[in-house]
């Protein structure tokens, strides 16, 4: 890649500074209307603050004038499905399990075709760039050549990603092409870790699709493998308590299949009947469980205790009728909550659109559970919380000095409805409230065309959209 030229980016900066919890995010919100972001040749942020206070050492750097535009941290999506890149808005005639059987398993099986897998990898990366998703936890394909295409294309595009092959050792007939033996699954996972983990931009996770897609032997073997690679920073990722339709939903089916007291037990090494211990835990600070809509209090407490994170996917949960993750109760548990698009059950790639659904569903929770999320809490969930979930908060997630320059330039004039709302909407005379109103309007009204540039480690990767790499 071409070297980075030191530059000062001038525009309206919004980010959550420091290292707060979601509850403290409003007091850590920084709004700098005429801000300066100084990015050095190393791709790191050398200064973030008012342009009028730009230190003398940076005044000779070239200025990229984006006044009228906004500078935001890159979005961090903690739950996406690569092999579902072409599956958004798929009609399966039911909720999660029907949708998987009739739509997703057959679609994912098509990535056994190497040419289609390569095309899907390019499309996946282009959609991520268009949506400003600079870092992501990605559930991968069952096929090694498809994963090879995904990792290769991601690095070429200059994006950050953690991914792992989707492990399935049992399932319905439609999942047949995706299934392997436990022994072969472990071999493929170990090879993927050896080939792709620990790169500048990519890392690897162990990724059983969900507990119903694997056997007791598979969970035991995954735990044994994780014990040997956890110290190398390998991640764990799967689904948890997503769909609780009575008697026939994913949660009841999991409890029945394993005979356990809680869904989380299956990932915590307690997957034998009666929640007896059968292997090593898969939980920890690099473990992300998607959805967590129907968690018991003890499950939330255990997630918080182990430093595991939740990938909250409100758009997907609406699409599949899975319910609403209880915001107040989940936050009170102390577990880190980051945002996930869940493409393809989620049909929005742009995380600000997922935030739009997030705000609405939690405003609509019953009675005292309802909450009007602060715009700083929303921005935190889509940026810094995601970096925390990936255990990379020291590297990206906000625009603090010393971190890598992963950020977006948003030009409202590229999307007229957004420009009109920001220019003509009512604003408070109170400066702080006016800033919060502007951020809320920006997040709720943002669309892909308004994202004029996407930078990772100070390098503009937007050109990948034009197919020039």
């Amino acid at each position: 890649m071409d070297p980075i030229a030191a530059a000062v980016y001038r525009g309206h900066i919004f980010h959550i500074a420091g290292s707060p919890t979601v509850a403290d995010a409003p007091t850590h919100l920084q709004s700098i209307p005429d801000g300066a972001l100084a990015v050095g040749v190393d791709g790191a942020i050398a200064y973030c603050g008012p342009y009028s206070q730009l230190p003398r050492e940076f005044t000779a750097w070239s200025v990229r004038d984006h006044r009228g535009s906004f500078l935001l941290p890159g979005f961090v999506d903690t739950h996406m499905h690569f092999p579902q890149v072409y599956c958004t808005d798929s009609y399966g005639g039911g909720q999660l399990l029907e949708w998987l059987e009739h739509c997703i398993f057959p679609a994912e099986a098509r990535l056994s075709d190497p040419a289609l897998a390569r095309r899907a990898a390019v499309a996946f990366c282009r959609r991520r760039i268009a949506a400003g998703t600079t870092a992501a936890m990605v559930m991968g394909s069952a096929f090694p050549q498809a994963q090879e295409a995904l990792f290769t294309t991601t690095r070429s595009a200059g994006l950050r990603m953690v991914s792992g092959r989707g492990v399935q050792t049992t399932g319905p007939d439609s999942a047949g092409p995706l299934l392997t033996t436990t022994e072969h699954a472990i071999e493929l996972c170990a090879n993927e870790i050896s080939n792709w983990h620990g790169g500048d931009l990519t890392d690897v996770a162990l990724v059983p699709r969900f507990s119903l897609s694997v056997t007791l032997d598979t969970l035991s073997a995954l735990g044994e493998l994780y014990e040997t690679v956890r110290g190398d920073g390998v991640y764990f990722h799967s689904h948890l308590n997503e769909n609780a339709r009575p008697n026939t939903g994913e949660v009841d089916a999991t409890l029945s299949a394993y005979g356990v007291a809680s869904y989380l037990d299956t990932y915590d090494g307690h997957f034998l009947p009666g929640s007896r211990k059968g292997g090593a835990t898969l939980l920890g600070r690099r473990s992300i469980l998607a959805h967590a809509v129907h968690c018991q209090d003890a499950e939330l407490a255990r997630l918080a205790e182990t430093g595991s994170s939740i990938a909250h996917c409100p758009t997907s949960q609406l699409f599949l009728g899975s319910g609403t993750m209880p915001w107040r109760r989940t936050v009170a548990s102390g577990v880190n909550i980051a945002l996930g698009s869940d493409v393809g059950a989620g049909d929005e790639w742009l995380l600000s659109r997922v935030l739009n659904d997030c705000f609405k569903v939690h405003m609509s929770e019953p009675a005292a559970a309802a909450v009007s999320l602060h715009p700083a809490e929303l921005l935190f969930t889509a940026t810094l919380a995601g970096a925390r979930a990936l255990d990379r908060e020291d590297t990206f997630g906000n625009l603090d000095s010393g971190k890598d320059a992963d950020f977006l330039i948003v030009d409202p004039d590229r999307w007229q409805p957004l420009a009109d709302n920001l220019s003509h909407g009512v604003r408070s005379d109170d400066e702080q409230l006016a800033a919060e109103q502007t951020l809320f309007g920006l997040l709720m009204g943002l669309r892909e065309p308004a994202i004029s540039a996407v930078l990772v480690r100070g390098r503009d990767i937007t050109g990948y959209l034009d197919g020039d790499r």
Side-chain angles (χ1 to χ4, degrees):
M1 290 185 174
D2 296 334
I4 300 168
V8 175
Y9 294 82
R10 188 176 184 180
H12 189 154
I13 293 172
F14 274 120
H15 77 127
I16 308 300
S19 184
T21 64
V22 65
D24 292 331
T27 61
H28 286 252
L29 174 63
Q30 286 200 349
S31 171
I32 311 172
D34 188 12
L37 196 66
V39 179
V41 296
D42 59 353
I45 298 169
Y47 169 80
C48 177
Y51 184 79
S52 62
Q53 298 175 25
L54 183 69
R56 180 173 298 179
E57 61 197 283
F58 307 126
T59 55
W61 293 9
S62 66
V63 176
R64 312 286 172 85
D65 195 339
H66 296 284
R67 280 176 290 181
S69 295
F70 296 88
L71 310 181
L72 302 175
F75 292 133
V76 183
D77 192 333
T78 55
H79 185 55
M80 309 180 76
H81 290 259
F82 159 55
Q84 295 175 23
V85 63
Y86 300 129
C87 294
T88 56
D89 299 313
S90 294
Y91 175 69
Q95 294 187 1
L96 173 64
L97 298 183
E98 293 86 0
W99 177 78
L100 287 171
E101 182 171 357
H102 299 304
C103 300
I104 299 308
F105 294 151
E108 291 194 5
R110 297 177 63 218
L111 291 197
S112 62
D113 176 357
L116 180 61
R118 288 193 295 271
R119 187 171 71 186
V122 171
F124 187 79
C125 290
R126 285 180 174 169
R127 290 302 303 269
R128 277 190 57 191
I129 294 172
T133 299
T134 53
M137 171 65 84
V138 179
M139 285 201 135
S141 171
F143 304 109
Q145 70 273 16
Q147 283 296 94
E148 183 89 5
L150 175 64
F151 277 108
T152 301
T153 306
T154 298
R155 286 188 178 179
S156 175
L159 288 163
R160 298 186 191 272
M161 181 186 70
V162 179
S163 184
R165 70 178 309 274
V167 175
Q168 291 184 254
T169 56
T170 187
D173 290 344
S174 62
L178 307 174
L179 304 184
T180 64
T181 64
T182 292
E183 293 76 14
H184 191 42
I186 296 301
E187 178 186 353
L188 291 173
C189 289
N191 288 341
E192 191 167 55
I193 292 168
S194 177
N195 292 334
W196 294 105
H197 184 69
D200 287 342
L201 294 169
T202 61
D203 283 303
V204 174
L206 296 182
V207 185
R209 180 187 290 275
F210 62 158
S211 294
L212 292 176
S213 72
V214 293
T215 65
L216 294 171
D217 288 343
T218 309
L219 283 173
S220 178
L222 285 170
E224 290 178 7
L225 176 59
Y226 201 40
E227 285 286 276
T228 68
V229 298
R230 184 192 291 270
D232 298 323
V234 172
Y235 293 79
F236 173 75
H237 186 47
S238 194
H239 298 85
L240 175 70
N241 289 322
E242 179 177 359
N243 185 283
R245 183 175 53 191
N247 303 316
T248 59
E250 168 224 17
V251 176
D252 282 354
T254 301
L255 299 183
S256 175
Y258 284 90
V260 292
S262 78
Y263 196 145
L264 187 65
D265 285 342
T266 62
Y267 300 131
D268 202 12
H270 294 269
F271 47 75
L272 297 179
S275 291
R276 289 183 290 115
K277 188 172 179 61
T281 184
L282 294 163
L283 304 182
R285 63 183 296 171
R286 287 200 167 192
S287 299
I288 301 176
L289 282 302
H291 302 293
V293 177
H294 305 285
C295 284
Q296 303 169 25
D297 287 345
E299 291 176 297
L300 293 175
R302 180 61 176 159
L303 288 170
E305 177 189 10
T306 58
S308 305
S309 291
I310 290 171
H312 180 30
C313 307
T315 300
S316 164
Q317 289 149 206
L318 285 168
F319 182 79
L320 292 175
S322 297
T324 301
M325 184 199 79
W327 182 268
R328 291 185 187 275
R329 184 165 71 90
T330 307
V331 168
S333 74
V335 65
N336 180 50
I337 305 167
L339 200 67
S341 65
D342 197 20
V343 165
D347 59 353
E348 295 284 0
W349 290 76
L350 180 60
L351 280 190
S352 62
R353 299 303 299 151
V354 181
L355 289 177
N356 190 294
D357 285 334
C358 184
F359 180 80
K360 293 171 183 174
V361 298
H362 295 303
M363 178 75 87
S364 302
E365 287 192 63
V371 57
S372 176
L373 294 179
H374 191 282
E377 294 175 310
L378 296 172
L379 181 62
F380 172 87
T381 306
T383 56
L384 193 57
R388 185 171 298 167
L390 293 175
D391 197 24
R392 297 296 302 278
E393 188 179 356
D394 60 337
T395 307
F396 57 86
N398 62 16
L399 303 180
D400 285 350
S401 295
K403 292 193 178 182
D404 285 356
D406 292 12
F407 67 99
L408 315 178
I409 301 173
V410 178
D411 181 357
D413 287 337
R414 293 165 58 103
W415 182 251
Q416 199 60 46
L418 176 63
D420 288 344
N421 285 348
L422 292 176
S423 296
H424 305 299
V426 174
R427 295 290 181 266
S428 171
D429 292 333
D430 178 83
E431 183 177 346
Q432 179 177 333
L433 179 55
E436 295 166 354
Q437 291 170 330
T438 297
L439 176 60
F440 186 78
L442 175 63
L443 293 175
M444 295 298 102
L446 180 61
R447 300 295 189 275
E448 279 97 336
I451 299 176
S452 62
V454 179
L455 292 91
V456 176
R457 298 190 302 180
R459 180 173 282 107
D460 189 344
I461 63 172
T462 319
Y464 189 79
L465 292 171
D466 302 323
D468 61 355
R469 300 187 183 187

